Amino acid sequence: MRKITKTFAVSLIAATSAFAGNAMAADGAALYTAKMCQTCHGAEGKAPIMPMYPKIAGQNKEYALAQMKDIKSGARANGMSAAMKAMVANVSDAELEAIADYLSKVK
């Protein structure tokens, strides 16, 4: 009986962690803040801190996602992408997608 309880507890913890990760990934606005995107791109992606940084609010979701994935993988290495590469290094694809979805809806 004890073995079943321990297995159940481990399974419950894993399921809870996966759910929390999925819930966080689904909230692009919270991720935008948690992943420090506003540091360079400004609140809601509307006011970059430097003219060479893009305004990303309202950007097409698929385009924004492709750019972030290309920067993360190294496929895009031009312009200011070197600074961005460090920022997206530990962001999952699901989180990138949630951020891109959020930004595409910002007006």
Side-chain angles (χ1 to χ4, degrees):
M1 182 80 169
R2 188 171 197 181
K3 184 177 182 181
I4 293 172
T5 304
K6 185 176 181 180
T7 302
F8 176 75
V10 170
S11 296
L12 183 61
I13 291 169
T16 302
S17 296
F19 176 75
N22 289 338
M24 184 66 158
D27 189 353
L31 283 166
Y32 183 83
T33 300
K35 301 299 181 176
M36 305 301 289
C37 305
Q38 77 284 357
T39 304
C40 295
H41 296 285
E44 299 182 312
K46 296 179 181 180
I49 62 168
M50 295 182 1
M52 63 182 58
Y53 292 164
K55 291 180 184 177
I56 53 178
Q59 193 64 261
N60 176 281
K61 177 186 173 181
E62 288 75 22
Y63 174 79
L65 181 58
Q67 296 308 304
M68 289 186 283
K69 284 184 172 184
D70 283 352
I71 290 168
K72 184 177 178 178
S73 73
R76 178 177 171 191
N78 61 328
M80 298 303 293
S81 62
M84 179 83 175
K85 186 169 176 67
M87 298 302 290
V88 295
N90 295 314
V91 182
S92 73
D93 285 352
E95 291 170 331
L96 291 175
E97 185 169 356
I99 292 168
D101 183 61
Y102 159 70
L103 289 170
S104 72
K105 296 173 183 169
V106 174
K107 302 294 178 212

Coordinates of all heavy atoms in Angstrom, one line a residue:
M1 N 0.8 -1.2 0.0 CA 0.0 0.0 0.0 C 0.9 1.3 0.0 O 0.6 2.2 -0.7 CB -0.9 0.0 1.2 CG -1.8 1.1 1.3 SD -3.2 0.8 0.2 CE -4.3 2.1 0.6
R2 N 1.9 1.2 0.7 CA 2.8 2.4 0.8 C 3.4 2.8 -0.5 O 3.6 3.9 -0.9 CB 3.9 2.2 1.9 CG 4.7 3.4 2.2 CD 5.6 3.1 3.3 NE 6.1 4.4 3.8 CZ 6.9 4.6 4.8 NH1 7.3 3.6 5.4 NH2 7.2 5.8 5.1
K3 N 3.8 1.7 -1.3 CA 4.4 2.0 -2.6 C 3.4 2.6 -3.5 O 3.7 3.6 -4.3 CB 4.9 0.6 -3.2 CG 5.6 0.8 -4.5 CD 6.1 -0.5 -5.1 CE 6.8 -0.3 -6.4 NZ 7.3 -1.5 -6.9
I4 N 2.2 2.2 -3.5 CA 1.1 2.9 -4.3 C 0.9 4.3 -3.9 O 0.9 5.2 -4.8 CB -0.2 2.1 -4.2 CG1 0.0 0.7 -4.8 CG2 -1.3 2.9 -4.9 CD1 -1.2 -0.2 -4.6
T5 N 0.9 4.6 -2.6 CA 0.8 6.0 -2.2 C 1.9 6.9 -2.6 O 1.7 8.0 -3.1 CB 0.7 6.0 -0.6 OG1 -0.4 5.1 -0.2 CG2 0.4 7.4 -0.1
K6 N 3.1 6.3 -2.5 CA 4.3 7.1 -3.0 C 4.3 7.4 -4.5 O 4.5 8.5 -4.9 CB 5.6 6.4 -2.6 CG 6.9 7.1 -2.9 CD 8.1 6.4 -2.4 CE 9.3 7.2 -2.7 NZ 10.5 6.5 -2.2
T7 N 3.9 6.3 -5.2 CA 3.8 6.5 -6.7 C 2.7 7.5 -7.0 O 2.9 8.4 -7.9 CB 3.5 5.1 -7.3 OG1 4.5 4.2 -7.0 CG2 3.3 5.3 -8.8
F8 N 1.6 7.5 -6.3 CA 0.5 8.4 -6.6 C 1.0 9.8 -6.2 O 0.7 10.8 -7.0 CB -0.7 8.1 -5.7 CG -1.8 9.1 -5.8 CD1 -2.6 9.1 -7.0 CD2 -2.0 10.0 -4.8 CE1 -3.6 10.1 -7.1 CE2 -3.0 11.0 -4.9 CZ -3.8 11.0 -6.1
A9 N 1.7 10.0 -5.2 CA 2.2 11.3 -4.8 C 3.1 11.9 -5.8 O 3.1 13.1 -6.2 CB 2.9 11.3 -3.4
V10 N 4.0 11.1 -6.3 CA 5.0 11.5 -7.3 C 4.2 11.9 -8.6 O 4.5 12.9 -9.2 CB 6.0 10.4 -7.6 CG1 6.9 10.7 -8.8 CG2 6.9 10.2 -6.4
S11 N 3.2 11.1 -9.0 CA 2.4 11.4 -10.2 C 1.7 12.7 -10.0 O 1.6 13.5 -10.9 CB 1.5 10.2 -10.5 OG 2.2 9.1 -10.8
L12 N 1.1 12.9 -8.8 CA 0.4 14.1 -8.5 C 1.3 15.3 -8.6 O 0.9 16.4 -9.2 CB -0.3 14.0 -7.2 CG -1.2 15.2 -6.8 CD1 -2.3 15.3 -7.7 CD2 -1.7 15.0 -5.3
I13 N 2.4 15.3 -8.1 CA 3.4 16.4 -8.2 C 3.8 16.7 -9.6 O 3.8 17.8 -10.0 CB 4.6 16.1 -7.3 CG1 4.3 16.1 -5.8 CG2 5.7 17.1 -7.6 CD1 5.3 15.6 -4.9
A14 N 4.0 15.7 -10.4 CA 4.4 15.8 -11.8 C 3.2 16.5 -12.6 O 3.4 17.4 -13.4 CB 4.8 14.5 -12.4
A15 N 2.0 16.0 -12.3 CA 0.9 16.5 -13.0 C 0.6 18.0 -12.6 O 0.3 18.8 -13.5 CB -0.4 15.7 -12.7
T16 N 0.8 18.3 -11.4 CA 0.6 19.7 -10.9 C 1.6 20.6 -11.5 O 1.3 21.7 -12.0 CB 0.7 19.8 -9.3 OG1 -0.3 18.9 -8.8 CG2 0.5 21.1 -8.8
S17 N 2.9 20.2 -11.6 CA 3.9 21.0 -12.2 C 3.7 21.2 -13.7 O 3.9 22.3 -14.2 CB 5.3 20.3 -12.0 OG 5.6 20.2 -10.7
A18 N 3.2 20.2 -14.4 CA 2.9 20.3 -15.8 C 1.8 21.2 -16.0 O 1.8 22.1 -16.9 CB 2.6 18.9 -16.4
F19 N 0.8 21.2 -15.2 CA -0.4 22.1 -15.3 C 0.0 23.5 -15.0 O -0.3 24.4 -15.8 CB -1.5 21.7 -14.3 CG -2.7 22.6 -14.3 CD1 -3.6 22.6 -15.4 CD2 -2.8 23.6 -13.3 CE1 -4.6 23.5 -15.4 CE2 -3.9 24.4 -13.3 CZ -4.8 24.4 -14.4
A20 N 0.8 23.7 -14.0 CA 1.3 25.1 -13.7 C 2.1 25.6 -14.8 O 2.0 26.8 -15.2 CB 2.1 25.1 -12.4
G21 N 3.0 24.8 -15.4 CA 3.8 25.2 -16.6 C 2.9 25.6 -17.8 O 3.1 26.6 -18.4
N22 N 1.9 24.8 -18.0 CA 1.0 25.0 -19.1 C 0.1 26.3 -18.9 O -0.1 27.1 -19.8 CB 0.0 23.8 -19.4 CG 0.8 22.7 -20.0 OD1 1.8 22.8 -20.6 ND2 0.2 21.5 -19.8
A23 N -0.3 26.5 -17.6 CA -1.1 27.7 -17.3 C -0.2 28.9 -17.5 O -0.7 29.9 -18.0 CB -1.6 27.6 -15.9
M24 N 1.0 28.9 -17.1 CA 1.9 30.0 -17.2 C 2.2 30.3 -18.7 O 2.2 31.4 -19.2 CB 3.2 29.7 -16.5 CG 4.2 30.9 -16.5 SD 3.6 32.3 -15.6 CE 5.1 33.1 -15.3
A25 N 2.4 29.2 -19.5 CA 2.6 29.4 -20.9 C 1.4 30.0 -21.6 O 1.5 30.7 -22.6 CB 3.0 28.0 -21.6
A26 N 0.2 29.7 -21.1 CA -1.0 30.2 -21.7 C -1.2 31.7 -21.4 O -1.9 32.4 -22.1 CB -2.2 29.4 -21.2
D27 N -0.5 32.2 -20.4 CA -0.7 33.6 -20.1 C 0.5 34.5 -20.6 O 1.4 34.7 -19.9 CB -0.8 33.8 -18.6 CG -1.2 35.2 -18.1 OD1 -1.3 36.1 -19.0 OD2 -1.4 35.4 -17.0
G28 N 0.4 34.9 -21.9 CA 1.4 35.6 -22.5 C 1.7 36.9 -21.9 O 2.9 37.3 -21.9
A29 N 0.7 37.6 -21.4 CA 1.0 38.9 -20.7 C 1.9 38.7 -19.5 O 2.8 39.5 -19.3 CB -0.3 39.6 -20.3
A30 N 1.6 37.7 -18.7 CA 2.4 37.5 -17.5 C 3.8 37.0 -17.9 O 4.8 37.4 -17.2 CB 1.7 36.4 -16.6
L31 N 3.9 36.2 -18.9 CA 5.2 35.8 -19.4 C 6.0 36.9 -19.9 O 7.2 37.0 -19.7 CB 5.0 34.7 -20.5 CG 4.7 33.3 -20.0 CD1 4.2 32.4 -21.1 CD2 5.9 32.7 -19.3
Y32 N 5.4 37.8 -20.6 CA 6.0 39.0 -21.2 C 6.8 39.8 -20.1 O 7.9 40.2 -20.2 CB 5.0 39.9 -21.9 CG 5.7 41.1 -22.5 CD1 6.2 41.1 -23.8 CD2 5.7 42.4 -21.9 CE1 6.8 42.2 -24.4 CE2 6.3 43.5 -22.5 CZ 6.8 43.4 -23.7 OH 7.4 44.5 -24.3
T33 N 6.1 39.9 -18.9 CA 6.7 40.5 -17.8 C 7.7 39.6 -17.1 O 8.8 40.1 -16.8 CB 5.6 40.9 -16.8 OG1 4.7 41.8 -17.4 CG2 6.2 41.6 -15.5
A34 N 7.3 38.4 -16.8 CA 8.2 37.4 -16.1 C 9.5 37.2 -16.8 O 10.6 37.0 -16.2 CB 7.5 36.1 -15.9
K35 N 9.5 37.2 -18.1 CA 10.7 37.0 -18.9 C 11.4 38.2 -19.3 O 12.4 38.3 -20.0 CB 10.4 36.2 -20.2 CG 9.7 34.8 -20.0 CD 10.6 33.9 -19.2 CE 9.9 32.6 -19.0 NZ 10.7 31.6 -18.3
M36 N 11.0 39.3 -18.7 CA 11.7 40.6 -18.7 C 11.7 41.3 -20.1 O 12.5 42.1 -20.5 CB 13.1 40.5 -18.2 CG 13.2 39.9 -16.8 SD 12.3 40.9 -15.6 CE 13.4 42.3 -15.5
C37 N 10.7 41.0 -20.9 CA 10.6 41.5 -22.3 C 10.5 43.0 -22.3 O 11.0 43.7 -23.1 CB 9.5 40.9 -23.1 SG 9.5 39.1 -23.2
Q38 N 9.7 43.5 -21.3 CA 9.5 45.0 -21.2 C 10.8 45.8 -20.9 O 10.8 47.0 -21.1 CB 8.4 45.3 -20.1 CG 8.9 45.2 -18.6 CD 9.1 43.8 -18.1 OE1 8.8 42.8 -18.8 NE2 9.6 43.7 -16.9
T39 N 11.8 45.1 -20.4 CA 13.1 45.8 -20.1 C 13.6 46.5 -21.4 O 14.1 47.6 -21.3 CB 14.1 44.8 -19.7 OG1 13.6 44.1 -18.5 CG2 15.4 45.4 -19.3
C40 N 13.5 45.9 -22.5 CA 14.0 46.5 -23.8 C 12.8 47.0 -24.7 O 13.0 48.0 -25.3 CB 14.8 45.5 -24.6 SG 16.4 45.1 -23.7
H41 N 11.7 46.3 -24.7 CA 10.6 46.6 -25.6 C 9.6 47.5 -25.0 O 8.7 47.9 -25.7 CB 10.0 45.3 -26.2 CG 11.0 44.5 -27.0 ND1 11.4 44.9 -28.2 CD2 11.7 43.4 -26.7 CE1 12.2 44.0 -28.7 NE2 12.5 43.1 -27.8
G42 N 9.7 47.8 -23.7 CA 8.7 48.6 -23.1 C 7.4 47.9 -22.7 O 7.2 46.8 -23.1
A43 N 6.6 48.6 -21.9 CA 5.3 48.0 -21.5 C 4.5 47.7 -22.8 O 4.4 48.5 -23.7 CB 4.5 49.0 -20.7
E44 N 4.0 46.5 -22.8 CA 3.2 45.9 -23.9 C 3.9 46.0 -25.2 O 3.2 45.9 -26.2 CB 1.8 46.7 -23.9 CG 1.0 46.5 -22.7 CD -0.3 47.2 -22.8 OE1 -0.4 48.4 -23.3 OE2 -1.3 46.6 -22.5
G45 N 5.2 46.1 -25.3 CA 5.9 46.1 -26.5 C 5.7 47.3 -27.4 O 6.0 47.4 -28.5
K46 N 5.3 48.4 -26.7 CA 4.9 49.7 -27.4 C 6.0 50.7 -27.4 O 6.0 51.6 -28.2 CB 3.7 50.3 -26.9 CG 2.4 49.4 -27.0 CD 1.2 50.1 -26.4 CE 0.0 49.3 -26.5 NZ -1.2 50.0 -25.9
A47 N 6.9 50.6 -26.5 CA 7.9 51.7 -26.3 C 9.3 51.2 -26.0 O 9.7 51.2 -24.8 CB 7.4 52.6 -25.1
P48 N 10.0 50.8 -27.0 CA 11.4 50.3 -26.8 C 12.3 51.4 -26.2 O 12.1 52.6 -26.4 CB 11.9 49.9 -28.2 CG 10.7 50.1 -29.1 CD 9.6 50.8 -28.4
I49 N 13.3 50.9 -25.4 CA 14.1 51.8 -24.7 C 15.2 52.5 -25.7 O 15.7 53.5 -25.3 CB 14.9 51.2 -23.6 CG1 15.8 50.0 -24.0 CG2 13.9 50.7 -22.5 CD1 16.7 49.5 -23.0
M50 N 15.4 51.9 -26.8 CA 16.3 52.5 -27.8 C 15.6 52.4 -29.2 O 14.9 51.5 -29.5 CB 17.6 51.7 -27.8 CG 18.4 51.9 -26.5 SD 20.0 51.1 -26.4 CE 20.4 50.3 -27.9
P51 N 15.9 53.4 -30.0 CA 15.3 53.4 -31.4 C 15.6 52.2 -32.2 O 14.8 51.8 -33.1 CB 15.8 54.6 -32.0 CG 16.4 55.5 -30.9 CD 16.7 54.6 -29.8
M52 N 16.7 51.5 -31.9 CA 17.0 50.3 -32.8 C 16.3 49.1 -32.3 O 16.3 48.1 -33.0 CB 18.6 50.1 -32.7 CG 19.1 49.8 -31.3 SD 20.9 49.5 -31.3 CE 21.5 51.1 -31.9
Y53 N 15.6 49.1 -31.2 CA 14.8 48.0 -30.8 C 13.4 48.1 -31.4 O 12.9 49.2 -31.4 CB 14.7 47.9 -29.2 CG 16.0 47.6 -28.5 CD1 16.1 47.8 -27.1 CD2 17.1 47.1 -29.1 CE1 17.3 47.6 -26.5 CE2 18.3 46.8 -28.5 CZ 18.3 47.0 -27.1 OH 19.5 46.7 -26.4
P54 N 12.8 47.0 -31.8 CA 11.5 47.1 -32.5 C 10.4 47.3 -31.5 O 10.4 46.8 -30.4 CB 11.4 45.8 -33.2 CG 12.2 44.8 -32.4 CD 13.4 45.7 -31.9
K55 N 9.3 48.0 -32.0 CA 8.0 48.0 -31.4 C 7.4 46.6 -31.8 O 7.3 46.3 -33.0 CB 7.2 49.1 -31.8 CG 7.7 50.5 -31.4 CD 6.8 51.6 -31.9 CE 7.4 52.9 -31.4 NZ 6.6 54.0 -32.0
I56 N 7.0 45.8 -30.8 CA 6.6 44.5 -31.1 C 5.1 44.3 -30.9 O 4.5 43.3 -31.2 CB 7.4 43.4 -30.4 CG1 7.5 43.7 -28.9 CG2 8.8 43.3 -31.0 CD1 8.2 42.6 -28.1
A57 N 4.4 45.3 -30.3 CA 3.0 45.2 -30.1 C 2.3 45.2 -31.4 O 2.6 45.9 -32.3 CB 2.5 46.4 -29.3
G58 N 1.3 44.3 -31.5 CA 0.5 44.2 -32.7 C 1.2 43.4 -33.8 O 0.6 43.3 -34.9
Q59 N 2.3 42.9 -33.6 CA 3.1 42.1 -34.6 C 2.3 40.8 -34.9 O 1.7 40.2 -34.0 CB 4.5 41.8 -34.1 CG 5.4 41.3 -35.1 CD 5.7 42.3 -36.2 OE1 5.2 42.3 -37.3 NE2 6.6 43.3 -35.9
N60 N 2.4 40.4 -36.1 CA 1.8 39.1 -36.5 C 2.3 38.0 -35.7 O 3.5 37.9 -35.5 CB 2.1 38.9 -38.0 CG 1.6 37.6 -38.5 OD1 2.2 36.5 -38.3 ND2 0.4 37.6 -39.2
K61 N 1.4 37.2 -35.1 CA 1.9 36.1 -34.2 C 2.9 35.2 -34.8 O 4.0 34.9 -34.2 CB 0.7 35.3 -33.7 CG 1.1 34.1 -32.8 CD -0.1 33.2 -32.5 CE 0.3 32.0 -31.7 NZ -0.8 31.1 -31.4
E62 N 2.6 34.7 -36.0 CA 3.5 33.7 -36.6 C 4.9 34.3 -36.9 O 5.9 33.7 -36.8 CB 2.9 33.1 -37.9 CG 1.8 32.2 -37.6 CD 0.5 32.8 -37.2 OE1 0.3 34.0 -37.5 OE2 -0.4 32.2 -36.6
Y63 N 4.9 35.6 -37.4 CA 6.2 36.3 -37.6 C 7.0 36.5 -36.3 O 8.2 36.2 -36.3 CB 5.9 37.6 -38.3 CG 7.1 38.5 -38.5 CD1 8.0 38.2 -39.5 CD2 7.4 39.5 -37.6 CE1 9.1 38.9 -39.7 CE2 8.6 40.2 -37.7 CZ 9.4 39.9 -38.8 OH 10.6 40.7 -39.0
A64 N 6.3 37.0 -35.3 CA 7.0 37.2 -34.0 C 7.6 35.9 -33.5 O 8.7 35.8 -33.0 CB 6.1 37.9 -33.0
L65 N 6.8 34.8 -33.5 CA 7.2 33.5 -33.0 C 8.4 33.0 -33.8 O 9.4 32.6 -33.3 CB 6.1 32.5 -33.1 CG 6.4 31.1 -32.6 CD1 6.9 31.2 -31.1 CD2 5.2 30.2 -32.7
A66 N 8.3 33.2 -35.1 CA 9.5 32.7 -36.0 C 10.7 33.5 -35.7 O 11.8 32.9 -35.6 CB 9.1 32.9 -37.5
Q67 N 10.6 34.8 -35.5 CA 11.8 35.6 -35.1 C 12.4 35.2 -33.8 O 13.6 35.1 -33.7 CB 11.4 37.1 -35.1 CG 11.0 37.7 -36.4 CD 11.9 37.4 -37.5 OE1 13.1 37.7 -37.5 NE2 11.4 36.7 -38.6
M68 N 11.6 35.0 -32.8 CA 12.1 34.6 -31.5 C 12.7 33.2 -31.6 O 13.8 33.0 -31.0 CB 11.0 34.6 -30.4 CG 10.5 36.0 -30.1 SD 9.3 36.1 -28.7 CE 7.8 35.5 -29.5
K69 N 12.1 32.3 -32.3 CA 12.7 30.9 -32.4 C 14.0 31.0 -33.2 O 15.0 30.3 -32.9 CB 11.7 30.0 -33.1 CG 10.6 29.5 -32.2 CD 9.7 28.5 -32.9 CE 8.7 27.9 -32.0 NZ 8.0 26.8 -32.7
D70 N 14.1 31.8 -34.2 CA 15.3 31.9 -35.0 C 16.4 32.6 -34.2 O 17.6 32.2 -34.3 CB 15.1 32.8 -36.3 CG 14.3 32.0 -37.4 OD1 14.2 30.8 -37.2 OD2 14.0 32.6 -38.4
I71 N 16.1 33.5 -33.4 CA 17.1 34.1 -32.5 C 17.6 33.1 -31.5 O 18.8 32.9 -31.3 CB 16.6 35.4 -31.8 CG1 16.4 36.5 -32.8 CG2 17.5 35.8 -30.7 CD1 15.6 37.7 -32.3
K72 N 16.7 32.4 -30.9 CA 17.0 31.3 -29.9 C 17.9 30.3 -30.5 O 18.9 29.9 -29.9 CB 15.7 30.7 -29.3 CG 16.0 29.7 -28.3 CD 14.7 29.2 -27.7 CE 14.9 28.1 -26.6 NZ 13.7 27.7 -26.0
S73 N 17.6 29.8 -31.7 CA 18.4 28.8 -32.4 C 19.7 29.2 -33.0 O 20.6 28.5 -33.3 CB 17.6 28.1 -33.5 OG 17.5 28.9 -34.6
G74 N 19.8 30.6 -33.2 CA 21.0 31.1 -33.8 C 20.8 31.3 -35.3 O 21.7 31.8 -36.0
A75 N 19.7 30.9 -35.9 CA 19.4 31.1 -37.3 C 19.4 32.5 -37.7 O 19.8 32.9 -38.8 CB 18.1 30.4 -37.7
R76 N 19.0 33.4 -36.7 CA 19.0 34.8 -36.9 C 20.1 35.4 -36.0 O 20.0 35.3 -34.8 CB 17.7 35.4 -36.6 CG 17.7 36.9 -36.8 CD 16.3 37.6 -36.6 NE 16.5 39.0 -36.6 CZ 15.6 39.9 -36.2 NH1 14.4 39.4 -35.8 NH2 15.9 41.2 -36.2
A77 N 21.1 36.0 -36.6 CA 22.2 36.5 -35.7 C 22.6 37.9 -36.2 O 23.7 38.4 -35.9 CB 23.4 35.6 -35.8
N78 N 21.6 38.6 -36.8 CA 21.9 40.0 -37.2 C 21.4 41.0 -36.2 O 20.7 40.7 -35.3 CB 21.3 40.2 -38.6 CG 19.8 40.1 -38.6 OD1 19.2 39.4 -37.8 ND2 19.1 40.9 -39.4
G79 N 21.8 42.3 -36.5 CA 21.3 43.4 -35.6 C 21.6 43.2 -34.2 O 22.6 42.8 -33.7
M80 N 20.5 43.4 -33.4 CA 20.6 43.3 -31.9 C 20.2 42.0 -31.4 O 20.0 41.8 -30.2 CB 19.7 44.4 -31.3 CG 20.1 45.8 -31.7 SD 21.8 46.3 -31.2 CE 21.7 46.2 -29.5
S81 N 20.2 41.0 -32.3 CA 19.7 39.7 -31.8 C 20.7 39.0 -30.8 O 20.2 38.1 -30.1 CB 19.5 38.7 -33.0 OG 20.7 38.5 -33.8
A82 N 21.9 39.4 -30.8 CA 22.8 38.8 -29.8 C 22.3 39.1 -28.3 O 22.4 38.2 -27.5 CB 24.2 39.4 -30.0
A83 N 21.8 40.3 -28.1 CA 21.3 40.6 -26.8 C 20.0 39.8 -26.5 O 19.8 39.4 -25.4 CB 21.0 42.1 -26.7
M84 N 19.2 39.7 -27.5 CA 18.0 38.9 -27.4 C 18.2 37.4 -27.2 O 17.5 36.8 -26.5 CB 17.1 39.2 -28.6 CG 15.8 38.5 -28.7 SD 14.6 39.4 -27.8 CE 13.2 38.3 -28.2
K85 N 19.3 36.9 -27.8 CA 19.6 35.4 -27.7 C 19.7 35.0 -26.2 O 19.1 34.0 -25.8 CB 20.8 35.1 -28.4 CG 21.1 33.6 -28.5 CD 22.2 33.3 -29.4 CE 22.5 31.8 -29.5 NZ 21.5 30.9 -30.0
A86 N 20.3 35.8 -25.4 CA 20.5 35.5 -24.0 C 19.1 35.5 -23.3 O 18.8 34.7 -22.4 CB 21.4 36.4 -23.3
M87 N 18.2 36.4 -23.7 CA 16.9 36.6 -23.1 C 16.0 35.4 -23.4 O 15.2 35.0 -22.5 CB 16.3 37.9 -23.5 CG 17.0 39.1 -23.1 SD 17.3 39.3 -21.3 CE 15.7 39.6 -20.8
V88 N 16.1 34.8 -24.6 CA 15.2 33.7 -24.9 C 15.8 32.3 -24.7 O 15.1 31.3 -24.9 CB 14.7 33.8 -26.4 CG1 13.9 35.1 -26.6 CG2 15.9 33.8 -27.4
A89 N 17.0 32.3 -24.2 CA 17.7 31.0 -24.1 C 16.9 30.0 -23.2 O 16.9 28.8 -23.5 CB 19.1 31.2 -23.5
N90 N 16.3 30.5 -22.2 CA 15.6 29.6 -21.2 C 14.1 29.8 -21.3 O 13.4 29.5 -20.3 CB 16.1 29.9 -19.8 CG 17.5 29.5 -19.6 OD1 17.9 28.4 -20.0 ND2 18.3 30.4 -19.0
V91 N 13.6 30.2 -22.5 CA 12.1 30.3 -22.7 C 11.7 29.2 -23.6 O 12.3 29.0 -24.6 CB 11.8 31.7 -23.3 CG1 10.3 31.9 -23.5 CG2 12.4 32.8 -22.5
S92 N 10.7 28.4 -23.1 CA 10.3 27.3 -23.9 C 9.5 27.7 -25.2 O 9.1 28.9 -25.2 CB 9.3 26.4 -23.0 OG 8.1 27.0 -22.9
D93 N 9.4 26.8 -26.1 CA 8.6 27.1 -27.3 C 7.2 27.5 -27.0 O 6.6 28.4 -27.6 CB 8.7 26.0 -28.3 CG 10.0 25.8 -29.0 OD1 10.9 26.7 -28.8 OD2 10.2 24.9 -29.7
A94 N 6.6 26.8 -26.0 CA 5.2 27.1 -25.6 C 5.1 28.5 -25.0 O 4.1 29.2 -25.3 CB 4.7 26.1 -24.6
E95 N 6.1 28.9 -24.3 CA 6.1 30.2 -23.7 C 6.3 31.3 -24.8 O 5.7 32.3 -24.8 CB 7.2 30.3 -22.6 CG 6.9 29.5 -21.4 CD 8.0 29.4 -20.4 OE1 9.2 29.5 -20.8 OE2 7.8 29.3 -19.2
L96 N 7.2 31.0 -25.7 CA 7.4 31.9 -26.8 C 6.1 32.1 -27.6 O 5.8 33.2 -28.0 CB 8.5 31.4 -27.8 CG 9.9 31.4 -27.3 CD1 10.9 30.8 -28.3 CD2 10.4 32.8 -26.9
E97 N 5.4 31.0 -27.8 CA 4.1 31.1 -28.6 C 3.1 31.9 -27.8 O 2.4 32.7 -28.4 CB 3.6 29.7 -28.8 CG 2.4 29.7 -29.7 CD 1.9 28.4 -30.2 OE1 2.6 27.4 -30.0 OE2 0.9 28.3 -30.9
A98 N 3.1 31.7 -26.5 CA 2.1 32.5 -25.7 C 2.5 34.0 -25.7 O 1.6 34.8 -25.8 CB 2.1 32.0 -24.2
I99 N 3.7 34.3 -25.7 CA 4.2 35.7 -25.7 C 3.8 36.3 -27.1 O 3.3 37.4 -27.2 CB 5.7 35.9 -25.4 CG1 5.9 35.5 -24.0 CG2 6.2 37.3 -25.8 CD1 7.4 35.3 -23.6
A100 N 4.1 35.6 -28.2 CA 3.8 36.0 -29.5 C 2.3 36.2 -29.7 O 1.8 37.2 -30.3 CB 4.3 35.0 -30.6
D101 N 1.5 35.3 -29.1 CA 0.0 35.4 -29.2 C -0.4 36.7 -28.5 O -1.2 37.5 -29.0 CB -0.6 34.2 -28.6 CG -2.1 34.2 -28.7 OD1 -2.6 34.3 -29.9 OD2 -2.8 34.2 -27.7
Y102 N 0.1 36.9 -27.3 CA -0.2 38.1 -26.5 C 0.1 39.4 -27.3 O -0.7 40.3 -27.4 CB 0.5 38.1 -25.2 CG 0.6 39.4 -24.5 CD1 -0.5 40.1 -24.0 CD2 1.9 40.1 -24.4 CE1 -0.4 41.3 -23.4 CE2 2.0 41.3 -23.8 CZ 0.9 41.9 -23.3 OH 1.0 43.2 -22.8
L103 N 1.3 39.4 -27.8 CA 1.8 40.6 -28.5 C 0.9 40.9 -29.7 O 0.7 42.1 -30.1 CB 3.2 40.5 -28.9 CG 4.2 40.6 -27.7 CD1 5.6 40.2 -28.1 CD2 4.2 42.0 -27.1
S104 N 0.5 39.8 -30.4 CA -0.3 40.0 -31.6 C -1.7 40.7 -31.3 O -2.3 41.3 -32.2 CB -0.5 38.7 -32.3 OG -1.4 37.9 -31.6
K105 N -2.1 40.6 -30.1 CA -3.4 41.2 -29.7 C -3.3 42.5 -29.1 O -4.3 43.1 -28.8 CB -4.1 40.2 -28.8 CG -4.4 38.9 -29.5 CD -4.9 37.8 -28.5 CE -5.2 36.5 -29.3 NZ -5.4 35.4 -28.3
V106 N -2.1 43.0 -28.8 CA -1.9 44.3 -28.2 C -2.2 45.4 -29.2 O -1.6 45.3 -30.3 CB -0.5 44.5 -27.5 CG1 -0.3 45.9 -27.1 CG2 -0.3 43.5 -26.4
K107 N -3.0 46.3 -28.9 CA -3.3 47.4 -29.9 C -2.6 48.7 -29.5 O -2.3 49.0 -28.4 CB -4.8 47.6 -30.0 CG -5.6 46.4 -30.4 CD -5.3 46.0 -31.8 CE -6.0 44.7 -32.1 NZ -5.4 43.9 -33.0

